[in-house]
Amino acid sequence: GDESLVDEQGMVGGCETGEHRIIAKLILQNIGKGTNAVDATSHVCDIRNPRFIDYAMRVRSYDVEANFYGRGFASGKPCPARAASRAGLTIPTLLAIETGGAHADGLAAIPKTSTATGTNNGGQGSKSPSNKTFAGVCFIMRDLQTTHPVHPDVLSIPQAKCALAWLAKFHARFWEAPKLTNEWPGQLLWEEGTFWAVQYRLKQQYFPNTYANDFESAWNRTLRWMAAQRKLPEAVHLCSRESIRLFGLRLKRAIPVIFEELHPAQSASSIYNNLSPVVYNAAAAAAAAKGKRKDKCDSTHDFRRPRSHVTLVHGDFKAANIFFMPGVDGDDVCNDSDSCAVCDLQFTGPGLGVCDVAYLLFPDPRVSYLDVEHELLCWYYDKLQSQWIAMDKGCDLGETYPRALMEWHYRLAQMEFLGYMFTKGWVASSANDVELLQRLDELLCKLDGGELLGSSNEYAQALATALVSFR
């Protein structure tokens, strides 16, 4: 192939460019030895190599998207894509999918390890067989731009509202769906939605020390940046607070607790242990429901903990994946979710819907919604409530999921994503970033009073106390 298309993992093809053409969504294939590219078999598919995580996530994500469209379902059985379409949500229509080589057998393409080889020993697992490489996958879909031609790099406030209306309808459709707890996750979709949650679980499983070091390094650089901003006095003032100086350590200790609040508990046989589909342990779940087993707040269960407010999350809800009909801008906001279309459902899985909202509204160098954040949150909640009524969910959303609890979960989701960004080298670089840190510090102070608690268990107790009135 063209060397310009070869990436550092030895993959070739168009991928994640933010533009989706009428025929091929993506085509990936391995580059063999004898080229200038890295050989994926010998270099990437090694559990001791951190790049394995990105490779495994990429392969698995296309398997998940194919399943979202029904590949893993028996003929005639409802799949998420069909359910979404019947609810009036505009997503691409899958015309055909083709896989080749080892990937024709689904997850056989992904190397497997077991607890016997050490999944918590810093990644000292074994190499995968050389014949289990990812050969390729091609999706052919209808072009969303034929009906929704507007594809902005950043969303205006009216466009953000239209996108949130689509999201509220998506979340309402799958709210506490039984299949989210006993069928779809693990076997067909991710066990938890959002790409950063998937990566967090994998890195904690295989490279916990690297994750912690990356986190601390990024926060120390943010502190140095804030202290040097003489033209941004609010940054210097914020940096002088003891709670902010400790913020990185406090957040790192609270992240496991936040993660468990936002995502369903995992099973010991999950893809995070062997990168193969999990089998739902119904007997263990029934025993847990009868009180025969304690549900510990960690990742070692072999059953799923029943969760409230869980829905199907998109997992990568950003401007690059959102399209609009003409006219969705200006002061006259189109409230109709049909005016919005969404693609790239590679990281769908169960979770709290506000994870999608927090990701969409997270400030970046191009756009910030902090000034209208409360307005947008209220807009999303109101749309969720409207869809709740329209779908006849049978109870009042305000009682089962109060607005105040949604706002708590939204802040927790922001903290979780910020933690992920720290591991990617994120450093505060603007007044908006400083404002975000101040808001998140205020919430974290409600849990720890601005001081570093002794353990994650103490943060779990503090969060349980803070949210007890909503249980």
Side-chain angles (χ1 to χ4, degrees), residues 83 205 254 341 358 363 402 416:
Q205 189 75 30
E416 179 186 60

Side-chain angles (χ1 to χ4, degrees), residues 242-244 246 250 441 444-452:
E242 182 65 17
S243 65
I244 284 292
L246 293 173
R250 294 159 58 215
D441 179 57
L444 198 52
C445 282
K446 294 180 180 179
L447 301 181
D448 59 17
E451 300 178 354
L452 179 65

Side-chain angles (χ1 to χ4, degrees), residues 80-94:
R82 184 178 300 176
S85 295
R86 287 179 174 176
L89 292 157
T90 305
I91 57 176
T93 300
L94 180 63

